[in-house]
Amino acid sequence: GESSGKTTLARHIAFLTPTGSYVREYGRDYYDTYGIKSIEDLYNIRDEQFILEQKELLGPNNANDLVCIDTNIIVTEFYAHKWFNQSIVDIHSNEIKEYLKSYSLIVLCENDFDFVQDGTRQNIEFATEQNKFYRKILDDLGIHYLVVVGSVEDRTKQILS
C-alpha cells in the first residue's frame, strides 16, 4: 500500500544480483503526468503495467535471475473500487489466479514504516484499507504471499531466507 516501503524494497532486492531487474510502477508515472480522472485511466494503467512486466520477463534480457515487479493488478483494482466503485478485471477469475500464481513470490509490505506524504498519497487509514484489500484478494484466491516487516534490511533478510 501507500508508504509501505514497497518501491524502496523492490528496487533494493532487484539489484542484489548483477542480472537483477526492476519493473517500475506505471500507475505512479501515469498519475504524475496525467492524473486519474476516470476509470479509463485505470484500464490504461492496468494494460501498460502488464506490458512492462512482459517486456522484462519475456524480452531479450530475460536471462535475469531476479525480476522485482513494484506493483500488480490487485493494486490497480483497489483504486478502481475505491475511487470509481467499479472493477477493471474479474479479480476472482481463474485467469487472474493463474497470473498471480506465475510469480515466484508475492511480498506484501506491512504498514509499519512511518507514513510519508509525497503529495500524492492519501493517509495511513487509506494505506491500511489497501493492505486489507490485498490480503483478502490473495486469501480468497488461495495465493501464498510473504508479509515482511521492519527496516529494508530486515525485509530483505525475510525475503531471502
Side-chain angles (χ1 to χ4, degrees), residues 86-103:
Q86 295 183 43
S87 182
I88 57 167
V89 67
D90 180 359
I91 200 70
H92 291 95
S93 70
N94 283 333
E95 181 181 46
I96 295 300
K97 184 175 184 176
E98 293 306 312
Y99 163 71
L100 293 170
K101 280 185 167 182
S102 72
Y103 294 134

Side-chain angles (χ1 to χ4, degrees), residues 23-88:
V23 178
R24 74 186 190 281
E25 180 182 7
Y26 179 77
R28 168 67 67 156
D29 299 341
Y30 190 96
Y31 181 87
D32 289 346
T33 303
Y34 307 107
I36 307 293
K37 299 172 189 79
S38 71
I39 193 73
E40 285 76 22
D41 293 319
L42 294 177
Y43 280 110
N44 184 31
I45 291 167
R46 177 201 64 191
D47 296 345
E48 289 299 318
Q49 185 68 44
F50 182 75
I51 290 168
L52 286 174
E53 284 184 33
Q54 295 308 299
K55 279 183 184 175
E56 194 60 43
L57 293 169
L58 304 173
N61 298 323
N62 68 350
N64 295 335
D65 61 341
L66 181 63
V67 177
C68 289
I69 301 169
D70 191 330
T71 193
N72 68 33
I73 191 67
I74 298 173
V75 174
T76 311
E77 180 70 0
F78 172 79
Y79 287 105
H81 279 272
K82 185 69 177 170
W83 291 344
F84 301 104
N85 199 30
Q86 295 183 43
S87 182
I88 57 167

Side-chain angles (χ1 to χ4, degrees), residues 3-5 108-113 131 135 147-150 155:
S3 194
S4 66
L108 185 65
C109 295
E110 193 59 75
N111 287 333
D112 60 347
F113 274 23
N131 190 285
R135 287 175 190 253
V147 177
V148 293
V149 298
R155 292 170 182 215

Side-chain angles (χ1 to χ4, degrees), residues 104-119:
S104 299
L105 177 64
I106 293 178
V107 176
L108 185 65
C109 295
E110 193 59 75
N111 287 333
D112 60 347
F113 274 23
D114 288 337
F115 187 84
V116 176
Q117 181 52 262
D118 66 357

Side-chain angles (χ1 to χ4, degrees), residues 132-151:
K132 288 178 183 176
F133 181 88
Y134 304 154
R135 287 175 190 253
K136 178 166 180 11
I137 297 297
L138 293 168
D139 289 343
D140 287 353
L141 291 172
I143 303 291
H144 174 76
Y145 58 97
L146 174 67
V147 177
V148 293
V149 298
S151 67

